[in-house]
Amino acid sequence: MAAKPVPEAEGATPPRHVAIIMDGNGRWAKKRFLPRIAGHKQGVEAVRRISRAARTLGIEVLTLYAFSSENWRRPEEEVRDLMGLLRHFLASELDELVSEGVKLRVIGAWRKLSPDLVAMIEGAMARTANNPGPTLVIALNYGAQAELADAARALAEKARAGEIDPASIDEAAFEAALDTGDLPPLDLLIRTSGEQRLSNFLLWQAAYAEFLFVDTLWPDFDEKALAAALDQYGRRQRRFGGL
Ligand code: IPE
Ligand code: IPE
Ligand code: MG
């Protein structure tokens, strides 16, 4: 089999695409005898802080896991609170994203959220679509297995319609059919709060990402923590199967 070229085997280049599983809001609140929503509110502050810091640090794409397709299993009241915070975030952050030239993208089954949120997301993406970047990607009602199944279905439909030859479906074609198809490869995946699992996040994209699990709870994750994560990343040697 022909060897694939080894991308950036040197390793010391800064990550272009960083993703974060923002976990630990509930535990942050519990430690303070506060309701879980208080942790989520502080979590939104961390999103503001970290998206700014990522821009300062020159990260091209920051992908944040905000609500998983499994998070519907939480009590109705918590889901309602989370959706409320999302509305608030979109309304309060949009002007800054526009003025900073940030391109906002949303991935996941966000079109299945409530109609007012769908309209807000569409408006926000449209307002920032022509911005030069960096890109802020928010994963909402996102599940990687559904993303993969959706991509397979879309390709199957195209093949049935005679638009593509099934023999042409290779890794690149499959990747292009994912929500993240036009984004640079995922370099670094961070999960806060000490849990060490993917929770159905970016399964395909994580194939050669570096993983970093930190004990810090998401509301406590700050600029220094992000800089430390990038420093850790810089010490890794990425080999991509080569030497
Ligand atoms: C992450 O914090 C936020 C979301 C999943 C929306 P959690 O709410 O999962 O916090 P813990 O894991 O209960 O501490
Ligand atoms: C993953 O966190 C989802 C988000 C951060 C949005 P969870 O807290 O929902 O994950 P599990 O349930 O511990 O796997
Ligand atoms: Mg959690």
Side-chain angles (χ1 to χ4, degrees):
M1 202 174 138
K4 279 194 204 172
V6 176
E8 290 163 16
E10 295 308 311
T13 47
R16 293 179 66 195
H17 185 175
V18 176
I20 309 182
I21 302 176
M22 311 183 286
D23 199 10
N25 295 350
R27 279 162 282 172
W28 185 93
K30 194 173 181 197
K31 264 175 47 181
R32 290 165 177 75
F33 306 100
L34 294 169
R36 291 179 59 84
I37 173 77
H40 294 313
K41 281 189 180 152
Q42 283 306 307
V44 175
E45 291 310 311
V47 169
R48 290 202 172 94
R49 196 161 66 223
I50 294 305
S51 56
R52 282 186 197 133
R55 298 201 280 279
T56 309
L57 291 165
I59 294 168
E60 254 174 80
V61 180
L62 176 68
T63 298
L64 300 176
Y65 203 7
F67 193 87
S68 77
S69 49
E70 286 72 35
N71 285 146
W72 297 107
R73 294 177 188 151
R74 296 189 179 198
E76 224 178 283
E77 193 193 342
E78 178 159 347
V79 170
R80 207 177 322 118
D81 285 343
L82 286 167
M83 294 300 153
L85 285 175
L86 177 62
R87 272 185 196 93
H88 183 69
F89 175 80
L90 286 171
S92 61
E93 285 300 286
L94 190 55
D95 284 344
E96 178 173 331
L97 295 179
V98 171
S99 68
E100 293 277 307
V102 176
K103 214 190 264 268
L104 179 73
R105 277 277 300 276
V106 179
I107 60 170
W110 59 273
R111 287 186 183 81
K112 292 183 188 156
L113 299 177
S114 71
D116 72 304
L117 258 173
V118 171
M120 277 183 96
I121 293 166
E122 278 170 345
M125 287 204 293
R127 256 190 86 190
T128 64
N130 295 320
N131 283 354
T135 301
L136 174 64
V137 184
I138 305 194
L140 277 180
N141 195 14
Y142 176 89
Q145 290 178 335
E147 181 191 31
L148 291 164
D150 287 348
R153 195 179 325 104
L155 291 168
E157 300 274 4
K158 279 191 182 167
R160 184 170 61 176
E163 290 167 28
I164 57 165
D165 176 359
S168 72
I169 301 173
D170 56 8
E171 291 100 313
F174 199 89
E175 187 158 281
L178 298 173
D179 285 7
T180 55
D182 56 339
L183 299 175
L186 180 62
D187 295 310
L188 174 62
L189 177 69
I190 303 169
R191 184 171 187 147
T192 58
S193 89
E195 307 297 345
Q196 301 194 359
R197 54 176 170 267
L198 286 178
S199 301
N200 203 12
F201 192 44
L202 302 179
L203 297 181
W204 171 287
Q205 297 84 345
Y208 253 113
E210 295 295 324
F211 285 63
L212 187 66
F213 298 103
V214 297
D215 288 334
T216 313
L217 302 173
W218 174 248
D220 292 327
F221 199 78
D222 59 10
E223 296 86 343
K224 262 174 76 180
L226 182 64
L230 296 200
D231 185 57
Q232 281 273 331
Y233 172 87
R235 292 165 203 266
R236 304 266 179 98
Q237 200 198 355
R238 302 186 77 188
R239 286 193 283 269
F240 299 98
L243 292 178

